[in-house]
Amino acid sequence: MSSSEKIAAAETEVEMISDMFNRLVQSCTMKCIPTDYRESDLNKGESVCLDRCVSKMFEVNMKVSEKMQEQAGAKGGAGGMGGFGM
């Protein structure tokens, strides 16, 4: 793999991670934080909800990433994004 290919792969990985983070923030915020802010700080229920939501998102991300890497390995290609699953 040439240097430019490595840079392109790294840029793609950063874009994927940024996209995942943005979706995580949007999804968990909509699910756990009401639109009518009553307090400046998170209450216990909101905090627990956010913790669980983020945990589930990372768990699913890891499983999908592992599955994609397995499939890429089964096809004989090394096209898996190493490290994407964090």
Side-chain angles (χ1 to χ4, degrees):
M1 184 179 266
S2 73
S3 179
S4 61
E5 290 173 329
K6 289 179 183 178
I7 291 171
E11 288 173 345
T12 301
E13 187 171 354
V14 168
E15 287 176 17
M16 291 171 68
I17 291 170
S18 295
D19 180 57
M20 181 195 69
F21 176 77
N22 290 332
R23 285 185 288 124
L24 178 143
V25 169
Q26 183 179 13
S27 176
C28 292
T29 299
M30 284 180 18
K31 179 180 179 181
C32 299
I33 300 176
T35 55
D36 58 334
Y37 300 106
R38 295 181 195 106
E39 303 170 14
S40 61
D41 294 331
L42 294 174
N43 64 36
K44 185 169 178 82
E46 293 165 343
S47 182
V48 169
C49 180
L50 286 169
D51 185 49
R52 288 181 180 163
C53 183
V54 169
S55 179
K56 286 178 183 180
M57 290 280 282
F58 275 110
E59 185 177 331
V60 168
N61 179 59
M62 290 291 289
K63 288 180 181 180
V64 169
S65 180
E66 288 170 6
K67 199 66 156 172
M68 289 175 68
Q69 288 178 3
E70 285 175 16
Q71 289 177 351
K75 291 181 181 179
M81 292 286 172
F84 176 64
M86 294 177 188

